[in-house]
Amino acid sequence: MGGPPGPRAQARVRRARPALRGGRPSDGRRGVTTVHDTRLSGGRVFLHGSGLADVDLLIKDGLVSGIVSRDSDAEAREVVQLDGKLVLPGAIDPHVHLGKDIRVPKDPDDARLETASAAAGGITSMLVYLMSGEPYDTVVPGAQAVMEQDSYVDFGFHIVVGSDAHVHDIPAYIREFGISSFKFFMNFKGDEGKYLGLPGNDDGYMYDVLGTAADNGAMINPHPENIELVWKLKNRPIDESRGPLSAWNQSRPSFVEAEAVQRVAYMAQITGASVYAVHTSSQLALEAMQRQRRSYENLFVETCTQYLTLTTGADCGTYGKVNPPIRERADLESLWIGMADGSVDTVGSDHNARHRVNKEKDIWTASAGFPGTGGVLPLTLSEGLRRGVPLERLVDATSTRSAKLFGMYPQKGTIRVGSDADIAVVDLDSSYVINAATQHSGAEYTPWEGTEVPLSVVHTLVRGQFALRDGQLAQETTGRFLRRERSGAAALAAAEHEGEPS
Ligand SMILES: [Zn+2]
């Protein structure tokens, strides 16, 4: 005995006695029998409110059509034996960038390779940021068409607003495209946004963006960085002896992030907006959000897998350059405390398929960002279980909470009768080593190269279809566009109305 319990023991949460529903083999009339498409048999199924349950899942027409006892005689055209593996709601990556220019997916590879990475890691839905200086009227349909051709997973979009015209069009984007979450870059002062074709903004612009979102049931996902402090600190001497990631962290210290996040959170309260702090990387930024949350509840926190698993001491070199930077051990530990107590709502990847030729440079000239969607579920789940974070909270952070905050619940983010059959099947008894090949991304590297993960994703089902089966990707892709009419507080209120399965 002694030492922390392994993932397997930790995952053995309360033995559930779930209400078994659906999947009756007969409707009572003679000769009329429902034949389901698929039966996932012998798994331990995560059910909200009751934890892991020894039940079988039935799937028909892409939906969960029954949750039945293992001795039920419900019929299915195919029975898949799971031998005690975990059956979780498919993970949702709320933070992805696609496209060679990081703005918009354009080529078939942008969708196919990067969503393959996601599906191989148990992701069944992703939310992709679209960035353009132009109106989005043609940008959205173009991106949607590219994704629908080649996406393994379901997908929605966030829109980056940078001009007054964009803010004016927020109600139309919600109405026409079902896009209800909007990012803006607090650091785009002066010419800082020029590379994306976006004009400079200020706190008056932020006030307009937040007010418009509040009036329309939308949420704002600000990039929080005080660029004036970054400019000021630029010429400060940096100690490069502690490695490239430490140097990058010194150049953009965490108070730069924390100051910006507390400012936008304060303005959220003034305007009544919902604000979702993307890629929270530091103890200071998390504490700033916690302080603001004491007086105003519609504030939400995302972190990313890299801030939960990497520190400036990691040996991935410039592959690990990202904004905000990889931080110190104390930051990582405080984010895990936030994961456990729920003050961190969600985990995303900030996936960005920058090719390795742009990364194999010194820390000052390498591009920022790296691919990570494939690691969100395996890394968060394995590290979280090792640390004793309850499975319920890990499922919430990697799936349910994103579904609720971004207007996808209960279609997504839960296993219940009538929900999309989006499923990740995880084997706690097998391990794998992360490398560029396991990640499938066009970027051709991963900052987690060589990391051994003590579990593996075996199957990923998107609306009942295997995107990944026995660890192998399907040939066909089936991802569809997700309309999301509301986000933030408005979406949470609607999710509440749906209640939990009885
Ligand atoms: Zn991002």
Side-chain angles (χ1 to χ4, degrees), residues 24 26-30 32:
R24 282 179 305 148
S26 159
D27 70 354
R29 280 176 293 156
R30 269 184 117 188
V32 182

mmCIF file of all heavy atoms in Angstrom, residues 24 26-30 32:
data_model
loop_
_atom_site.group_PDB
_atom_site.id
_atom_site.type_symbol
_atom_site.label_atom_id
_atom_site.label_comp_id
_atom_site.label_asym_id
_atom_site.label_seq_id
_atom_site.Cartn_x
_atom_site.Cartn_y
_atom_site.Cartn_z
ATOM 1 N N ARG A 24 -36.692 -0.825 -24.638
ATOM 2 C CA ARG A 24 -37.588 -1.968 -24.460
ATOM 3 C C ARG A 24 -37.598 -2.766 -25.752
ATOM 4 O O ARG A 24 -37.707 -2.195 -26.836
ATOM 5 C CB ARG A 24 -39.008 -1.490 -24.159
ATOM 6 C CG ARG A 24 -39.157 -1.034 -22.699
ATOM 7 C CD ARG A 24 -40.567 -0.565 -22.474
ATOM 8 N NE ARG A 24 -40.915 0.460 -23.443
ATOM 9 C CZ ARG A 24 -42.141 0.649 -23.924
ATOM 10 N NH1 ARG A 24 -43.121 -0.131 -23.534
ATOM 11 N NH2 ARG A 24 -42.392 1.602 -24.781
ATOM 12 N N SER A 26 -39.730 -4.598 -26.939
ATOM 13 C CA SER A 26 -41.020 -4.702 -27.621
ATOM 14 C C SER A 26 -41.903 -3.586 -27.139
ATOM 15 O O SER A 26 -41.753 -3.105 -26.022
ATOM 16 C CB SER A 26 -41.659 -6.048 -27.286
ATOM 17 O OG SER A 26 -43.059 -5.981 -27.503
ATOM 18 N N ASP A 27 -42.793 -3.112 -27.951
ATOM 19 C CA ASP A 27 -43.702 -2.078 -27.480
ATOM 20 C C ASP A 27 -44.974 -2.698 -26.916
ATOM 21 O O ASP A 27 -45.941 -2.012 -26.632
ATOM 22 C CB ASP A 27 -44.035 -1.088 -28.594
ATOM 23 C CG ASP A 27 -44.908 -1.704 -29.668
ATOM 24 O OD1 ASP A 27 -45.154 -2.929 -29.606
ATOM 25 O OD2 ASP A 27 -45.351 -0.968 -30.550
ATOM 26 N N GLY A 28 -44.946 -4.006 -26.750
ATOM 27 C CA GLY A 28 -46.102 -4.660 -26.131
ATOM 28 C C GLY A 28 -46.979 -5.358 -27.158
ATOM 29 O O GLY A 28 -47.586 -6.371 -26.862
ATOM 30 N N ARG A 29 -46.943 -4.807 -28.374
ATOM 31 C CA ARG A 29 -47.745 -5.498 -29.398
ATOM 32 C C ARG A 29 -46.931 -6.645 -29.958
ATOM 33 O O ARG A 29 -45.723 -6.529 -30.153
ATOM 34 C CB ARG A 29 -48.107 -4.526 -30.534
ATOM 35 C CG ARG A 29 -49.279 -3.634 -30.177
ATOM 36 C CD ARG A 29 -49.512 -2.638 -31.281
ATOM 37 N NE ARG A 29 -48.396 -1.681 -31.387
ATOM 38 C CZ ARG A 29 -48.094 -1.021 -32.492
ATOM 39 N NH1 ARG A 29 -48.798 -1.202 -33.589
ATOM 40 N NH2 ARG A 29 -47.095 -0.179 -32.513
ATOM 41 N N ARG A 30 -47.527 -7.705 -30.253
ATOM 42 C CA ARG A 30 -46.810 -8.886 -30.740
ATOM 43 C C ARG A 30 -46.120 -8.599 -32.056
ATOM 44 O O ARG A 30 -46.690 -7.986 -32.947
ATOM 45 C CB ARG A 30 -47.799 -10.032 -30.961
ATOM 46 C CG ARG A 30 -47.930 -10.893 -29.716
ATOM 47 C CD ARG A 30 -48.825 -12.061 -30.019
ATOM 48 N NE ARG A 30 -48.097 -13.329 -29.904
ATOM 49 C CZ ARG A 30 -48.640 -14.483 -30.267
ATOM 50 N NH1 ARG A 30 -49.836 -14.532 -30.812
ATOM 51 N NH2 ARG A 30 -47.965 -15.599 -30.116
ATOM 52 N N VAL A 32 -43.789 -6.586 -32.912
ATOM 53 C CA VAL A 32 -43.158 -5.288 -33.156
ATOM 54 C C VAL A 32 -41.965 -5.143 -32.230
ATOM 55 O O VAL A 32 -42.123 -5.052 -31.027
ATOM 56 C CB VAL A 32 -44.163 -4.133 -32.930
ATOM 57 C CG1 VAL A 32 -43.487 -2.805 -33.232
ATOM 58 C CG2 VAL A 32 -45.381 -4.341 -33.806
#
